[in-house]
Amino acid sequence: MKIGVFDSGVGGTSVLKEILKNFPNEDIIYFGDNLHAPYGDREIDEIKKLCLKVSDFLVYEKNVDVLVIACNTATAVGKDEMEKRYSIPVIGVVESGVKDAIYATKNNKIAILATSATVKMGIYENEILNKNNACKIRQIEAPLLVGIIENGWKEITENMLILEYYLNKIPNSFDTLVLGCTHYPLIRKSIEKLFKGNIVDPAFETVNSLKKILKSSDKKNGKIEFYVSGDVEKFKKVAENFLKMKIENIKNIFLK
């Protein structure tokens, strides 16, 4: 089986990392659309067009057998359209994060840290309340974080002050925080210094969804291909640091 994974940039490597742990023998195609990152600051129609360009490339040109949308904004905007468009399974990260958040909270108070587009669509809030209407939800927009992470996060004073500004918007009574953007797990250690409750990374439950579709292959050493639409070296540096692996097979590609 060939797994297609895509994100607006390097953030989807947080999902890729979990996939590699569980499916080390499968072939994986990863597309990071870092030329257009962050998706979360764009208009909904534009995000949908960008998503479909990438997913068409993975499905029609790379012939993947399952598509993982490793981006919360892209899941919110494009998943329904992709499910209608393709005959292969499509897995998003939002429903995965919702399951984990409801399981993790002990007092039904859940905060969502996300991009502006994800917050505007309210997909996490709606999905959580559909499953447990006793929950109280606080959504926090964090428009600056994706750009900083794409450029390589460092725990310098300026970055930590920005992160603290966003996390201070979470009331003290809220015991659970959903990392509602796949970039955020790349700075989880920094987040843990400022938020002491339960932290939900949707990547874990996303892999559980993938397990229901795929069975481990008998072949050895699946290969990974990386495609990026923007700066290859910037993507490579951040991705290698997070994945703790050398990235060899990476190409720059512009989708028309």
Side-chain angles (χ1 to χ4, degrees):
M1 298 287 280
K2 191 185 291 184
I3 305 169
V5 183
F6 84 88
D7 178 49
S8 62
V10 76
T13 56
S14 63
V15 178
L16 176 63
K17 191 172 188 176
E18 293 305 313
I19 293 174
L20 288 170
K21 285 180 189 176
N22 289 271
F23 298 97
N25 299 324
E26 302 301 333
D27 292 338
I28 301 169
I29 313 291
Y30 183 97
F31 195 106
D33 191 15
N34 56 346
L35 180 66
H36 301 104
Y39 280 1
D41 292 345
R42 297 176 181 274
E43 294 300 317
I44 303 300
D45 287 346
E46 184 184 6
I47 298 167
K48 184 177 287 188
K49 288 176 183 175
L50 291 170
C51 289
L52 292 177
K53 280 184 184 180
V54 176
S55 58
D56 279 355
F57 169 76
L58 291 170
V59 174
Y60 298 135
E61 293 190 39
K62 303 308 294 184
N63 300 309
V64 299
D65 299 294
V66 57
L67 185 64
V68 179
I69 313 171
C71 173
N72 288 268
T73 300
T75 300
V77 173
K79 183 172 182 283
D80 289 346
E81 180 70 24
M82 290 176 204
E83 287 177 327
K84 295 173 187 174
R85 194 178 184 96
Y86 312 124
S87 59
I88 64 171
V90 178
I91 297 172
V93 288
V94 172
E95 57 265 47
S96 304
V98 167
K99 289 178 187 175
D100 274 359
I102 292 173
Y103 178 80
T105 184
K106 298 297 183 286
N107 66 3
N108 289 333
K109 293 182 178 180
I110 301 170
I112 315 294
L113 187 69
T115 65
S116 299
T118 298
V119 168
K120 185 189 296 183
M121 294 191 71
I123 187 167
Y124 269 104
E125 182 174 31
N126 294 335
E127 289 292 321
I128 290 172
L129 292 178
N130 281 340
K131 288 180 168 50
N132 183 354
N133 61 12
C135 286
K136 291 186 177 179
I137 310 298
R138 177 64 60 91
Q139 297 190 98
I140 298 102
E141 293 183 43
L144 296 178
L145 289 184
V146 170
I148 298 172
I149 295 166
E150 283 283 327
N151 285 305
W153 175 267
K154 293 181 177 64
E155 278 198 0
I156 58 175
T157 301
E158 181 183 2
N159 289 347
M160 291 302 287
L161 285 173
I162 291 170
L163 182 59
E164 186 176 15
Y165 170 75
Y166 293 135
L167 295 180
N168 278 345
K169 295 183 179 184
I170 303 172
N172 291 332
S173 60
F174 278 59
D175 74 341
T176 299
L177 171 63
V178 178
L179 303 182
C181 171
T182 54
H183 281 74
Y184 302 162
L186 276 66
I187 61 167
R188 179 170 180 147
K189 289 181 180 178
S190 299
I191 293 171
E192 287 174 341
K193 292 178 180 179
L194 300 170
F195 182 82
K196 300 304 180 183
N198 306 309
I199 295 178
V200 172
D201 177 359
F204 296 107
E205 187 63 34
T206 300
V207 169
N208 286 333
S209 298
L210 196 56
K211 285 178 180 177
K212 294 174 184 176
I213 297 168
L214 299 180
K215 292 182 180 179
S216 256
S217 171
D218 291 332
K219 71 177 184 179
K220 300 296 181 184
N221 300 323
K223 65 179 181 180
I224 312 174
E225 297 175 35
F226 288 89
Y227 294 87
V228 294
S229 58
D231 191 320
V232 171
E233 290 307 314
K234 186 187 291 185
F235 174 93
K236 188 176 177 182
K237 182 178 179 181
V238 178
E240 285 184 339
N241 182 58
F242 179 70
L243 293 171
K244 307 301 180 191
M245 61 177 276
K246 192 75 175 170
I247 294 175
E248 303 288 355
N249 194 358
I250 183 168
K251 297 176 183 175
N252 180 262
I253 185 169
F254 180 76
L255 302 178
K256 293 182 180 179

